[in-house]
Amino acid sequence: MAVLTWNRYGKSSVRLVKVRRTTEPHEIVDLTIDVALEGTFDKVYTDGDNSACLATDTMKNTVYAFARVEPIDHVESFAVKLAEYFCERPGVSTACIQAAEHPWTRLQPHAFVRSGDEEWTTTVTSNGDRVSIVSGLRGLVVLKTTDSAFSGFPRDQFTTLPETRDRILATSITSTWTYADGFSDFGKRDAIRSALLKTFADHKSESVQQTLYEMGQAALAACDGVRDIQLSLPNRHHLLVDLAPFGLDNPNEIFVATEQPFGLIEARITRQA
């Protein structure tokens, strides 16, 4: 005999673009939103009883209706209002709203360009009593041409990687941070991003791990409302090309950029009380 032990359902990849036409110049908000609900929905699965099943199409429409009346000054506050609303629906015990915000850069007063894959992210979870907010960013691609080393690591019969005191360091930053309960100054995310970028650029790195730790510390210092931050840094390897067969030297100038396989460095840095 088998039993249903957990379930969740919702609407994923709700695409929402809002143009703030009351501002001059216009402003644009571009979001992809996921709604997920948990609660007393067992019979929907086991008995085909849909009397407690809020349609996922209704969830989509709710997102659009809220977007019409809410300014969406910060995606976190918008997601909180959605989560609290869905948590009040019959049978719902937990509502989780995930959102990715796609930045646009202004070209002219009413023209924009979107470059790269960088996105702001947020996950808001409400159980009716407590709201948890985890925000972050992903797809922030960075590279520096010096001040990065990797040496002194163990060597064995399978080690072929040469030590280096000067290499390219490139990565695509994925980061999530947890806000303290009651925090609402979500505009501080720009300070967190700036701290991550400045530390990456300035830090004289002995390893990706060391740079990650320094970046995390700087992010916590930039916003006292953040309890912890988790960083994921894939090492986008740039390998020196051997030009000797062509009678040429290579004074650390010509590289091949590889995508796979890659090192993946991850850690969480937590503020101490």
Side-chain angles (χ1 to χ4, degrees), residues 5-9 35-42 45 52-54 59 82-97 124-132:
T5 55
W6 177 83
N7 65 81
R8 178 174 66 186
Y9 81 106
V35 179
L37 305 182
E38 297 180 39
T40 55
F41 305 124
D42 289 11
Y45 293 82
C53 185
L54 183 69
M59 300 178 194
L82 283 172
E84 291 177 338
Y85 173 83
F86 283 118
C87 211
E88 293 173 351
R89 299 304 90 196
V92 177
S93 61
T94 302
C96 180
I97 308 296
V124 173
T125 305
S126 174
N127 62 9
D129 297 321
R130 182 175 179 270
V131 174
S132 169

CSV table of all heavy atoms in Angstrom, one decimal, residues 5-9 35-42 45 52-54 59 82-97 124-132:
chain,number,residue,atom,x,y,z
A,5,THR,N,2.4,11.4,0.9
A,5,THR,CA,3.1,12.0,2.1
A,5,THR,C,3.4,13.5,2.0
A,5,THR,O,3.8,14.1,3.0
A,5,THR,CB,4.4,11.2,2.4
A,5,THR,OG1,5.2,11.2,1.3
A,5,THR,CG2,4.1,9.8,2.8
A,6,TRP,N,3.4,14.0,0.8
A,6,TRP,CA,3.7,15.5,0.6
A,6,TRP,C,3.2,15.9,-0.7
A,6,TRP,O,3.2,15.1,-1.7
A,6,TRP,CB,5.2,15.8,0.7
A,6,TRP,CG,5.5,17.2,0.4
A,6,TRP,CD1,5.4,18.2,1.3
A,6,TRP,CD2,6.0,17.8,-0.8
A,6,TRP,NE1,5.8,19.4,0.7
A,6,TRP,CE2,6.2,19.2,-0.6
A,6,TRP,CE3,6.2,17.3,-2.0
A,6,TRP,CZ2,6.6,20.0,-1.5
A,6,TRP,CZ3,6.7,18.1,-3.0
A,6,TRP,CH2,6.9,19.5,-2.8
A,7,ASN,N,2.7,17.1,-0.8
A,7,ASN,CA,2.3,17.6,-2.1
A,7,ASN,C,2.3,19.1,-2.2
A,7,ASN,O,2.2,19.8,-1.1
A,7,ASN,CB,0.9,17.1,-2.5
A,7,ASN,CG,-0.2,17.6,-1.6
A,7,ASN,OD1,-0.7,18.8,-1.8
A,7,ASN,ND2,-0.6,16.8,-0.6
A,8,ARG,N,2.5,19.6,-3.3
A,8,ARG,CA,2.5,21.1,-3.6
A,8,ARG,C,2.1,21.3,-5.0
A,8,ARG,O,2.4,20.5,-5.9
A,8,ARG,CB,3.9,21.7,-3.3
A,8,ARG,CG,4.0,23.2,-3.6
A,8,ARG,CD,5.3,23.7,-3.1
A,8,ARG,NE,6.4,23.2,-3.9
A,8,ARG,CZ,7.7,23.4,-3.6
A,8,ARG,NH1,8.1,24.1,-2.6
A,8,ARG,NH2,8.7,22.9,-4.4
A,9,TYR,N,1.4,22.4,-5.3
A,9,TYR,CA,1.1,22.7,-6.7
A,9,TYR,C,1.0,24.2,-6.9
A,9,TYR,O,0.9,25.0,-5.9
A,9,TYR,CB,-0.2,22.0,-7.1
A,9,TYR,CG,-1.5,22.7,-6.7
A,9,TYR,CD1,-2.2,23.4,-7.7
A,9,TYR,CD2,-1.9,22.7,-5.4
A,9,TYR,CE1,-3.4,24.1,-7.3
A,9,TYR,CE2,-3.1,23.4,-5.0
A,9,TYR,CZ,-3.8,24.1,-6.0
A,9,TYR,OH,-5.0,24.8,-5.6
A,35,VAL,N,4.2,30.6,-8.4
A,35,VAL,CA,3.4,30.5,-7.2
A,35,VAL,C,3.3,29.0,-6.9
A,35,VAL,O,3.0,28.2,-7.7
A,35,VAL,CB,2.0,31.1,-7.5
A,35,VAL,CG1,1.1,30.9,-6.3
A,35,VAL,CG2,2.1,32.5,-8.0
A,36,ALA,N,3.5,28.7,-5.6
A,36,ALA,CA,3.3,27.3,-5.1
A,36,ALA,C,2.6,27.3,-3.8
A,36,ALA,O,2.9,28.1,-2.9
A,36,ALA,CB,4.7,26.6,-5.0
A,37,LEU,N,1.6,26.4,-3.7
A,37,LEU,CA,0.8,26.3,-2.5
A,37,LEU,C,0.9,24.9,-1.9
A,37,LEU,O,0.9,23.9,-2.6
A,37,LEU,CB,-0.7,26.6,-2.8
A,37,LEU,CG,-1.0,27.9,-3.5
A,37,LEU,CD1,-2.5,28.1,-3.7
A,37,LEU,CD2,-0.4,29.1,-2.7
A,38,GLU,N,0.9,24.9,-0.5
A,38,GLU,CA,0.7,23.6,0.2
A,38,GLU,C,-0.5,23.8,1.1
A,38,GLU,O,-0.8,24.9,1.5
A,38,GLU,CB,2.0,23.4,1.0
A,38,GLU,CG,3.3,23.1,0.2
A,38,GLU,CD,4.5,22.9,1.1
A,38,GLU,OE1,4.3,22.1,2.1
A,38,GLU,OE2,5.6,23.4,0.7
A,39,GLY,N,-1.1,22.7,1.5
A,39,GLY,CA,-2.2,22.7,2.4
A,39,GLY,C,-3.0,21.4,2.3
A,39,GLY,O,-2.5,20.3,2.1
A,40,THR,N,-4.3,21.5,2.5
A,40,THR,CA,-5.2,20.4,2.6
A,40,THR,C,-5.7,20.0,1.3
A,40,THR,O,-6.9,20.1,1.0
A,40,THR,CB,-6.4,20.6,3.6
A,40,THR,OG1,-7.1,21.8,3.1
A,40,THR,CG2,-5.9,20.9,5.0
A,41,PHE,N,-4.8,19.5,0.4
A,41,PHE,CA,-5.1,19.2,-0.9
A,41,PHE,C,-5.0,17.7,-1.2
A,41,PHE,O,-5.0,17.3,-2.4
A,41,PHE,CB,-4.2,20.0,-1.9
A,41,PHE,CG,-4.2,21.5,-1.7
A,41,PHE,CD1,-3.0,22.1,-1.5
A,41,PHE,CD2,-5.4,22.1,-1.7
A,41,PHE,CE1,-3.0,23.5,-1.2
A,41,PHE,CE2,-5.4,23.5,-1.5
A,41,PHE,CZ,-4.2,24.2,-1.3
A,42,ASP,N,-4.9,16.9,-0.2
A,42,ASP,CA,-4.7,15.4,-0.4
A,42,ASP,C,-5.8,14.8,-1.3
A,42,ASP,O,-5.5,14.0,-2.2
A,42,ASP,CB,-4.6,14.7,0.9
A,42,ASP,CG,-3.3,15.0,1.7
A,42,ASP,OD1,-2.6,15.9,1.3
A,42,ASP,OD2,-3.1,14.3,2.7
A,45,TYR,N,-5.6,14.8,-5.0
A,45,TYR,CA,-4.7,13.8,-5.6
A,45,TYR,C,-5.3,12.4,-5.5
A,45,TYR,O,-5.4,11.6,-6.5
A,45,TYR,CB,-3.3,13.8,-4.9
A,45,TYR,CG,-2.5,15.0,-5.2
A,45,TYR,CD1,-2.7,16.2,-4.4
A,45,TYR,CD2,-1.5,15.0,-6.1
A,45,TYR,CE1,-1.9,17.3,-4.6
A,45,TYR,CE2,-0.7,16.1,-6.3
A,45,TYR,CZ,-0.9,17.3,-5.6
A,45,TYR,OH,-0.2,18.4,-5.8
A,52,ALA,N,-11.3,21.8,-3.1
A,52,ALA,CA,-10.4,22.7,-2.4
A,52,ALA,C,-9.3,23.2,-3.3
A,52,ALA,O,-8.3,23.8,-2.8
A,52,ALA,CB,-9.8,21.9,-1.2
A,53,CYS,N,-9.4,22.9,-4.6
A,53,CYS,CA,-8.3,23.1,-5.5
A,53,CYS,C,-8.4,24.5,-6.2
A,53,CYS,O,-9.2,24.6,-7.2
A,53,CYS,CB,-8.2,22.0,-6.6
A,53,CYS,SG,-6.8,22.1,-7.7
A,54,LEU,N,-7.7,25.5,-5.8
A,54,LEU,CA,-7.6,26.8,-6.4
A,54,LEU,C,-7.0,26.6,-7.8
A,54,LEU,O,-5.8,26.1,-7.9
A,54,LEU,CB,-6.9,27.8,-5.6
A,54,LEU,CG,-6.8,29.2,-6.1
A,54,LEU,CD1,-8.2,29.9,-6.1
A,54,LEU,CD2,-5.8,30.0,-5.3
A,59,MET,N,-4.4,31.6,-10.1
A,59,MET,CA,-3.2,32.1,-9.5
A,59,MET,C,-2.5,33.1,-10.5
A,59,MET,O,-2.1,34.2,-10.1
A,59,MET,CB,-2.2,31.0,-9.2
A,59,MET,CG,-2.7,30.0,-8.2
A,59,MET,SD,-1.5,28.7,-8.0
A,59,MET,CE,-2.5,27.4,-7.1
A,82,LEU,N,1.6,39.0,-2.3
A,82,LEU,CA,1.0,37.8,-3.0
A,82,LEU,C,1.0,36.6,-2.1
A,82,LEU,O,0.0,35.9,-2.0
A,82,LEU,CB,1.8,37.5,-4.2
A,82,LEU,CG,1.6,38.3,-5.5
A,82,LEU,CD1,2.6,38.0,-6.5
A,82,LEU,CD2,0.2,38.2,-6.0
A,83,ALA,N,2.1,36.4,-1.4
A,83,ALA,CA,2.2,35.2,-0.5
A,83,ALA,C,1.1,35.3,0.7
A,83,ALA,O,0.5,34.3,1.0
A,83,ALA,CB,3.6,35.1,0.1
A,84,GLU,N,1.0,36.5,1.2
A,84,GLU,CA,0.0,36.7,2.3
A,84,GLU,C,-1.4,36.5,1.8
A,84,GLU,O,-2.3,35.9,2.5
A,84,GLU,CB,0.2,38.0,2.9
A,84,GLU,CG,1.5,38.2,3.7
A,84,GLU,CD,1.7,39.6,4.3
A,84,GLU,OE1,1.1,40.5,3.8
A,84,GLU,OE2,2.5,39.7,5.2
A,85,TYR,N,-1.7,37.0,0.6
A,85,TYR,CA,-3.0,36.8,0.0
A,85,TYR,C,-3.3,35.3,-0.2
A,85,TYR,O,-4.4,34.8,0.2
A,85,TYR,CB,-3.1,37.5,-1.3
A,85,TYR,CG,-4.4,37.3,-2.0
A,85,TYR,CD1,-5.6,38.0,-1.7
A,85,TYR,CD2,-4.5,36.3,-3.0
A,85,TYR,CE1,-6.8,37.7,-2.4
A,85,TYR,CE2,-5.7,36.1,-3.7
A,85,TYR,CZ,-6.8,36.8,-3.4
A,85,TYR,OH,-8.0,36.5,-4.0
A,86,PHE,N,-2.4,34.6,-0.9
A,86,PHE,CA,-2.7,33.2,-1.1
A,86,PHE,C,-2.7,32.4,0.1
A,86,PHE,O,-3.5,31.4,0.2
A,86,PHE,CB,-1.6,32.6,-2.1
A,86,PHE,CG,-1.7,33.0,-3.5
A,86,PHE,CD1,-0.8,33.8,-4.2
A,86,PHE,CD2,-2.9,32.6,-4.2
A,86,PHE,CE1,-0.9,34.1,-5.5
A,86,PHE,CE2,-3.0,33.0,-5.6
A,86,PHE,CZ,-2.0,33.7,-6.2
A,87,CYS,N,-2.0,32.8,1.1
A,87,CYS,CA,-2.0,32.0,2.4
A,87,CYS,C,-3.4,32.1,3.1
A,87,CYS,O,-3.7,31.3,3.9
A,87,CYS,CB,-0.9,32.6,3.3
A,87,CYS,SG,-0.2,31.3,4.4
A,88,GLU,N,-4.2,33.1,2.7
A,88,GLU,CA,-5.5,33.3,3.3
A,88,GLU,C,-6.6,32.6,2.6
A,88,GLU,O,-7.7,32.5,3.0
A,88,GLU,CB,-5.8,34.8,3.3
A,88,GLU,CG,-5.0,35.7,4.3
A,88,GLU,CD,-5.2,37.1,4.1
A,88,GLU,OE1,-6.0,37.5,3.2
A,88,GLU,OE2,-4.7,37.9,4.9
A,89,ARG,N,-6.2,31.9,1.4
A,89,ARG,CA,-7.2,31.2,0.7
A,89,ARG,C,-7.6,29.9,1.4
A,89,ARG,O,-6.7,29.3,2.1
A,89,ARG,CB,-6.7,30.8,-0.7
A,89,ARG,CG,-6.3,32.0,-1.6
A,89,ARG,CD,-7.5,32.9,-1.9
A,89,ARG,NE,-7.5,34.0,-0.9
A,89,ARG,CZ,-8.5,34.8,-0.6
A,89,ARG,NH1,-9.6,34.6,-1.2
A,89,ARG,NH2,-8.4,35.7,0.3
A,90,PRO,N,-8.8,29.4,1.3
A,90,PRO,CA,-9.2,28.2,2.0
A,90,PRO,C,-8.3,27.0,1.7
A,90,PRO,O,-8.0,26.7,0.6
A,90,PRO,CB,-10.6,27.9,1.5
A,90,PRO,CG,-11.1,29.3,1.1
A,90,PRO,CD,-9.9,30.0,0.5
A,91,GLY,N,-7.9,26.3,2.8
A,91,GLY,CA,-7.1,25.1,2.7
A,91,GLY,C,-5.6,25.3,2.5
A,91,GLY,O,-4.8,24.4,2.6
A,92,VAL,N,-5.1,26.6,2.4
A,92,VAL,CA,-3.7,26.8,2.1
A,92,VAL,C,-3.0,27.0,3.5
A,92,VAL,O,-3.4,27.8,4.3
A,92,VAL,CB,-3.5,28.1,1.3
A,92,VAL,CG1,-2.0,28.4,1.1
A,92,VAL,CG2,-4.2,27.9,-0.1
A,93,SER,N,-1.9,26.2,3.7
A,93,SER,CA,-1.1,26.4,4.9
A,93,SER,C,0.2,27.2,4.6
A,93,SER,O,0.6,27.9,5.5
A,93,SER,CB,-0.8,25.0,5.5
A,93,SER,OG,-0.1,24.2,4.6
A,94,THR,N,0.7,27.0,3.5
A,94,THR,CA,2.0,27.7,3.1
A,94,THR,C,1.9,28.2,1.7
A,94,THR,O,1.5,27.4,0.8
A,94,THR,CB,3.2,26.7,3.3
A,94,THR,OG1,3.2,26.3,4.6
A,94,THR,CG2,4.5,27.5,2.9
A,95,ALA,N,2.3,29.4,1.5
A,95,ALA,CA,2.4,30.0,0.1
A,95,ALA,C,3.8,30.4,-0.1
A,95,ALA,O,4.4,31.1,0.7
A,95,ALA,CB,1.4,31.2,-0.1
A,96,CYS,N,4.3,30.0,-1.3
A,96,CYS,CA,5.7,30.4,-1.7
A,96,CYS,C,5.7,31.1,-3.0
A,96,CYS,O,5.2,30.5,-4.0
A,96,CYS,CB,6.6,29.1,-1.7
A,96,CYS,SG,8.3,29.4,-2.2
A,97,ILE,N,6.2,32.3,-3.0
A,97,ILE,CA,6.3,33.1,-4.3
A,97,ILE,C,7.8,33.2,-4.6
A,97,ILE,O,8.6,33.7,-3.8
A,97,ILE,CB,5.7,34.5,-4.1
A,97,ILE,CG1,4.3,34.4,-3.5
A,97,ILE,CG2,5.8,35.2,-5.4
A,97,ILE,CD1,3.3,33.7,-4.4
A,124,VAL,N,9.7,34.3,-1.4
A,124,VAL,CA,9.0,34.7,-0.2
A,124,VAL,C,8.1,33.5,0.2
A,124,VAL,O,7.3,33.0,-0.6
A,124,VAL,CB,8.1,36.0,-0.4
A,124,VAL,CG1,7.2,36.2,0.8
A,124,VAL,CG2,9.0,37.1,-0.7
A,125,THR,N,8.2,33.1,1.5
A,125,THR,CA,7.4,32.0,2.0
A,125,THR,C,6.6,32.5,3.2
A,125,THR,O,7.1,33.1,4.1
A,125,THR,CB,8.2,30.8,2.4
A,125,THR,OG1,9.0,30.4,1.3
A,125,THR,CG2,7.4,29.6,2.8
A,126,SER,N,5.3,32.2,3.2
A,126,SER,CA,4.4,32.6,4.3
A,126,SER,C,3.6,31.5,4.8
A,126,SER,O,3.0,30.7,3.9
A,126,SER,CB,3.5,33.8,3.9
A,126,SER,OG,2.5,34.1,4.9
A,127,ASN,N,3.5,31.3,6.1
A,127,ASN,CA,2.6,30.3,6.6
A,127,ASN,C,1.5,30.9,7.4
A,127,ASN,O,0.8,30.2,8.2
A,127,ASN,CB,3.4,29.3,7.5
A,127,ASN,CG,4.0,30.0,8.7
A,127,ASN,OD1,3.8,31.1,9.0
A,127,ASN,ND2,4.9,29.2,9.4
A,128,GLY,N,1.3,32.2,7.2
A,128,GLY,CA,0.2,32.9,7.9
A,128,GLY,C,0.7,33.5,9.2
A,128,GLY,O,0.1,34.6,9.6
A,129,ASP,N,1.7,33.0,9.8
A,129,ASP,CA,2.3,33.6,11.1
A,129,ASP,C,3.6,34.3,10.8
A,129,ASP,O,3.9,35.3,11.5
A,129,ASP,CB,2.5,32.5,12.1
A,129,ASP,CG,1.2,31.9,12.5
A,129,ASP,OD1,0.2,32.6,12.6
A,129,ASP,OD2,1.1,30.6,12.7
A,130,ARG,N,4.4,33.7,9.9
A,130,ARG,CA,5.7,34.3,9.7
A,130,ARG,C,6.0,34.3,8.2
A,130,ARG,O,5.6,33.5,7.4
A,130,ARG,CB,6.8,33.4,10.3
A,130,ARG,CG,8.2,33.9,10.2
A,130,ARG,CD,9.2,33.0,11.0
A,130,ARG,NE,10.6,33.5,10.9
A,130,ARG,CZ,11.4,33.1,9.9
A,130,ARG,NH1,11.0,32.1,9.1
A,130,ARG,NH2,12.6,33.5,9.9
A,131,VAL,N,6.7,35.4,7.8
A,131,VAL,CA,7.1,35.5,6.4
A,131,VAL,C,8.7,35.5,6.3
A,131,VAL,O,9.4,36.1,7.0
A,131,VAL,CB,6.7,36.9,5.8
A,131,VAL,CG1,7.2,37.1,4.4
A,131,VAL,CG2,5.1,37.0,5.8
A,132,SER,N,9.2,34.6,5.4
A,132,SER,CA,10.6,34.5,5.2
A,132,SER,C,10.9,35.0,3.8
A,132,SER,O,10.2,34.7,2.8
A,132,SER,CB,11.0,33.0,5.3
A,132,SER,OG,12.3,32.8,4.8
